[in-house]
DNA sequence: ACGTTACTGAACAAGCTGTCCGCAACTGAT
DNA sequence: ATCAGTTGCGGACAGCTTGTTCAGTAACGT
């Protein structure tokens, strides 16, 4: 007895309506009735599935993270050796497909809680990977893995946000990855075009 | 005829109450009455000064940014030559003094709008500075200054957030700056403890 | 001391929330 | 095709929050 078709329909419609409306008006400005109206669903039905709009947003975000996690797994395995940029590239592709949802999450709608879910998930996964590699290669990281992960993830998310907010023909994902890799490899001086003069 | 003392008192009290309460319960959960009650001010008075709680939050944030801008100006002038880390250090000090406010802004409360104000202000200032230096030194940046600024600011803000959320005796500001500078200088491979193996 | 300005406390309509209900429509399994 | 069980519907409910108004009072700056 798989999930009832009506249940799926309602949930999907409500999630999609939320994303559309948050993009248009922002999370705070939304009413539960706005959402149900757009989704073409009765208001009582909303409460049969979700506690409130925060709950809905949280679940939509959690689903997105699950999907991202599944897509990232093989890429991470592939690049276990060094920084190949494969996971980042995969994330950018995912973001392109789910652009609207990425936008509203990265904008920090919903008091930043979905964004926090996103950031924390990425930071945790990254830190774990850093630690695993350090152990595997028997090297001592020069900077605390957790801090390093935060930095790396903060950087990626900043770029990701910039990228999904760009209008139309933005930089191709491959190009963005190349830039991030250059930064990771050479540091900021290289990027800015002149050598250290401290 | 400077600003009326009563006006200043009310505004300050409301701002302080907002920060306290957002830290305790989160922005969405707050009522205007909660704020006025904590500030010991009549509800009608609130509306005499601010349109709604978003407005209050925005002004508090704008004031913070003004203050930060003033404190950063000399540090930026000092480090016009290379990456000295002085501006970052000054920002960390500011964050230590206004820790609660920094926390709630960086958490993305208020649908991330205050955070966006913060990020955009930093990114703009940074990008301008990058461009000015590139021109002064007559070099061609290898990466678009706007993108580079986003990356740099995204990184700083991620660290800043991590720092202000730390419990009690966290890393001293000087230490954090050193790490950030190392990253900016050497790139991520150096930090992770092994050399490129791509 | 005085004219001006801000704060107060109360009241208001309007809107939103979350929950309930009986009834209708749909679903999956037999 | 049938049927028991589930889900959706629409309306109604009290309770709360919002934003505005207003007359009276207190504090302000000069």
């Amino acid at each position: 007895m798989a999930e009832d078709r009506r249940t799926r329909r309602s949930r999907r419609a409500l999630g999609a309506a939320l994303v559309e409306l948050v993009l248009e008006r922002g999370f705070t400005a939304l009413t539960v009735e706005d959402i149900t109206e757009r989704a073409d669903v009765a208001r009582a039905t909303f409460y049969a599935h979700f506690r409130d709009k925060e709950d809905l947003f949280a679940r939509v975000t959690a689903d997105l993270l699950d999907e991202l996690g599944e897509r990232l797994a093989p890429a991470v395995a592939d690049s276990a050796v060094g920084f190949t940029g494969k996971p980042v590239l995969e994330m950018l592709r995912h973001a392109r497909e789910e652009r609207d949802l990425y936008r509203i999450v990265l904008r920090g709608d919903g008091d930043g809680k979905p964004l926090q879910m996103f950031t924390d998930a990425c930071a945790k996964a990254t830190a774990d990977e850093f630690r695993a590699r350090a152990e595997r290669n028997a090297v001592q990281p020069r900077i605390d893995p957790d801090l390093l992960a935060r930095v790396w993830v903060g950087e990626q998310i900043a770029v990701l946000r910039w990228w999904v907010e760009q209008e139309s023909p933005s930089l191709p994902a491959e190009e963005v990855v190349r830039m991030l890799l250059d930064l990771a490899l050479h540091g900021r001086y290289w990027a800015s075009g002149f050598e250290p003069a401290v």
Side-chain angles (χ1 to χ4, degrees), chain A residues 68 72 87-95 102 118 156 160:
Chain A
L68 178 61
L72 245 47
V88 185
L89 181 59
E90 196 55 35
M91 184 160 82
L92 286 168
R93 287 188 176 137
H94 191 228
Y102 267 85
F118 194 92
Q156 283 178 78
L160 186 57

Side-chain angles (χ1 to χ4, degrees), chain A residues 121-131 145 148-150 152-153 156:
Chain A
C122 291
K124 193 191 173 308
T126 306
D128 288 348
E129 186 63 24
F130 281 168
R131 269 188 289 266
L148 188 54
R150 291 268 162 204
W152 178 223
V153 168
Q156 283 178 78

